[in-house]
Amino acid sequence: MRCTPHTDATTDPFDIPAQQEVRLLAPWYADGRPDDLPAHLRRHGPLPHPAAEELIALVDAAGLRGRGGAGFPTAAKMCAVVAGSGRRGRRRPVVVANGCEGEPASHKDAALLHCSPHLVLDGIVLAARAIGAGTAYLCVHAGSPGARWLRAQVAARRDPVAVHVVEVPARYVASEASALVQHLSGGPALPLSVPPRIAERGVGGAPTLVDNVETLAHLALIARHGADWFRAVGCPELPGTLLVTTGGALCRRGVVEVPAGTTVRTVLDLAGGPAEPVQALLCGGYGGTWAGLDVLDVPLAPEPLRAAGATLGVPVLLAQPTRACGPTQTAHLLRYLAGESAGQCGPCTFGLPALADDLAALACSHPDASAAHGRLIRRLDLVAGRGACAHPDGAVRLVRSALRLFARDLHHHLAGRPCPAAAEASLFPLPHPPDRALPRQPVR
């Protein structure tokens, strides 16, 4: 990646060059259109029927980890549900495929569900077989234009498990696992402050497996091609490919598929490089971290990014231009995160708005900025690790990374000399429009 703009920059968001290792998004890269069921069967062949124990062992050997942000081993989650369902009196297990994509900066799940819905549905069927489920839910955000397409694809199949497409309220926290379980059980789509073990008591009290749709699509390919094939790309810590959303000050924005462990620089080059000079990258979405350009040669994998002070989270790379004000852009993001609180615990209900007020005062060089800075530092320690869910921790992580990376800008703001862009509106979507799924299709 160059830190200066390309002279041949294009505004066409569907013009990323073809890539060598494309698995999940093959329909778009090969044909420029999504796969319906006949096209899916021509491309991938029929779904295999391994025994439950064999399938879980295969997933374990492949080293498949969740692609929703937490990265938990998929085989371990399956085993936990199987163990939970073996207890006397337990109801038959349930599979929940999470395609809600509550992170506004991410479009990978929407792109996958649009291009390769039957890989996801295959993965749902296989996951149900592994844990003995008879019912599955494919969750997307309410108002998603992809919901109708998905229902049509489900109706075209004759699967042994009943798959229901469910629209969930379009809120940041609504796609958290316990929030989905509560919604599907007839309650509000809010995280539970003291959630039960979902593997033992999930939807309607039944043992439940909640997996991201990208994880399930990988499962469908592992069942067809085996563990060694899956591990042939990626890195030991995170085998396989990743869907990464790129955005911000890049020439071509969209979703790219790369082997895990690909460097940040390579991903941004696939997006055409910067459209203008860049000062920072937002990694892992709005609950992630700001990082400087020293991360360009860091692999996209949890440990290397963590060692560099960044985070993988939901794979998102947003480039912030040099002309932007880091504290101001972070204040916009934090205000959004505070507004998306579930309102169920003090750190979210009171802590996040207070943090947002303090950071806003810093960003606009308010006369109270120095006192606000001191309050912000103290309040970060009070909020971190004390929420009912991980939402406030993500907000704290974002702010702390901004204080570290934009320290020079903050010094000028505290001295009453804010940068010219201090009053600029957010450069990133806040909040996301309800139809964001289709415009951010993967690009060839």
Side-chain angles (χ1 to χ4, degrees), residues 169-269:
R171 294 292 305 275
Y172 190 89
V173 298
S175 59
E176 192 268 344
S178 68
L180 287 180
V181 166
Q182 187 167 209
H183 178 72
L184 293 171
S185 300
L190 297 173
L192 295 174
S193 56
V194 185
R197 286 178 54 86
I198 292 172
E200 297 176 0
R201 290 184 59 226
V203 177
T208 301
L209 175 71
V210 181
D211 264 325
N212 177 258
V213 292
E214 183 185 346
T215 311
L216 294 167
H218 281 300
L219 173 59
L221 293 176
I222 291 170
R224 285 178 167 91
H225 303 291
D228 291 341
W229 172 88
F230 182 72
R231 285 185 172 275
V233 300
C235 55
E237 179 189 6
L238 190 63
T241 62
L242 287 175
L243 298 182
V244 184
T245 304
T246 61
L250 298 174
C251 289
R252 296 185 288 267
R253 297 176 292 275
V255 177
V256 297
E257 182 175 2
V258 296
T262 298
T263 64
V264 172
R265 183 190 304 273
T266 299
V267 174
L268 299 185
D269 282 343

Side-chain angles (χ1 to χ4, degrees), residues 63-132:
L64 177 62
R65 288 180 172 270
R67 297 301 201 256
F72 198 78
T74 304
K77 291 177 72 171
M78 289 178 168
C79 288
V81 174
V82 171
S85 63
R87 297 186 179 183
R88 188 174 181 179
R90 292 293 189 196
R91 303 174 68 176
R92 193 174 183 187
V94 172
V95 171
V96 176
N98 188 352
C100 291
E101 205 154 38
E103 169 56 58
S106 178
H107 309 283
K108 72 178 186 71
D109 293 342
L112 174 63
L113 288 169
H114 177 69
C115 293
S116 303
H118 292 283
L119 272 183
V120 176
L121 294 171
D122 284 352
I124 291 173
V125 171
L126 288 164
R129 180 176 298 137
I131 66 171

Side-chain angles (χ1 to χ4, degrees), residues 333-353:
L333 300 180
L334 182 59
R335 181 68 67 189
Y336 166 77
L337 293 174
E340 290 296 299
S341 163
Q344 297 187 125
C345 67
C348 256
T349 305
F350 306 109
L352 293 190

Side-chain angles (χ1 to χ4, degrees), residues 174-443:
S175 59
E176 192 268 344
S178 68
L180 287 180
V181 166
Q182 187 167 209
H183 178 72
L184 293 171
S185 300
L190 297 173
L192 295 174
S193 56
V194 185
R197 286 178 54 86
I198 292 172
E200 297 176 0
R201 290 184 59 226
V203 177
T208 301
L209 175 71
V210 181
D211 264 325
N212 177 258
V213 292
E214 183 185 346
T215 311
L216 294 167
H218 281 300
L219 173 59
L221 293 176
I222 291 170
R224 285 178 167 91
H225 303 291
D228 291 341
W229 172 88
F230 182 72
R231 285 185 172 275
V233 300
C235 55
E237 179 189 6
L238 190 63
T241 62
L242 287 175
L243 298 182
V244 184
T245 304
T246 61
L250 298 174
C251 289
R252 296 185 288 267
R253 297 176 292 275
V255 177
V256 297
E257 182 175 2
V258 296
T262 298
T263 64
V264 172
R265 183 190 304 273
T266 299
V267 174
L268 299 185
D269 282 343
L270 286 170
E276 58 181 297
V278 167
Q279 63 167 317
L281 299 170
L282 183 57
C283 305
Y286 296 168
T289 52
W290 287 107
L293 299 182
D294 53 343
V295 302
L296 287 176
D297 294 316
V298 174
L300 273 177
E303 286 305 322
L305 284 170
R306 189 176 297 115
T311 184
L312 178 64
V314 179
V316 172
L317 293 174
L318 302 181
Q320 177 166 278
T322 302
R323 62 177 171 80
C325 171
T328 294
Q329 292 304 313
T330 307
H332 288 312
L333 300 180
L334 182 59
R335 181 68 67 189
Y336 166 77
L337 293 174
E340 290 296 299
S341 163
Q344 297 187 125
C345 67
C348 256
T349 305
F350 306 109
L352 293 190
L355 292 177
D357 288 343
D358 290 338
L359 188 56
L362 278 173
C364 69
S365 292
H366 188 276
D368 188 43
S370 181
H373 181 256
R375 290 195 302 269
L376 179 64
I377 300 300
R378 292 193 300 273
R379 285 170 169 166
L380 287 171
D381 290 335
L382 292 175
V383 171
R386 299 187 181 185
C389 68
H391 181 57
D393 291 340
V396 168
R397 181 167 53 240
L398 173 74
V399 175
R400 282 178 170 164
S401 69
L403 294 177
R404 180 175 62 251
L405 187 63
F406 304 123
R408 182 176 178 181
D409 293 335
L410 284 169
H411 175 75
H412 292 307
H413 282 249
L414 286 168
R417 302 190 304 273
C419 54
E424 191 173 49
S426 176
L427 298 177
F428 308 120
L430 295 174
H432 56 72
D435 60 346
R436 79 193 193 283
L438 296 185
R440 292 301 182 90
Q441 294 167 353
V443 289

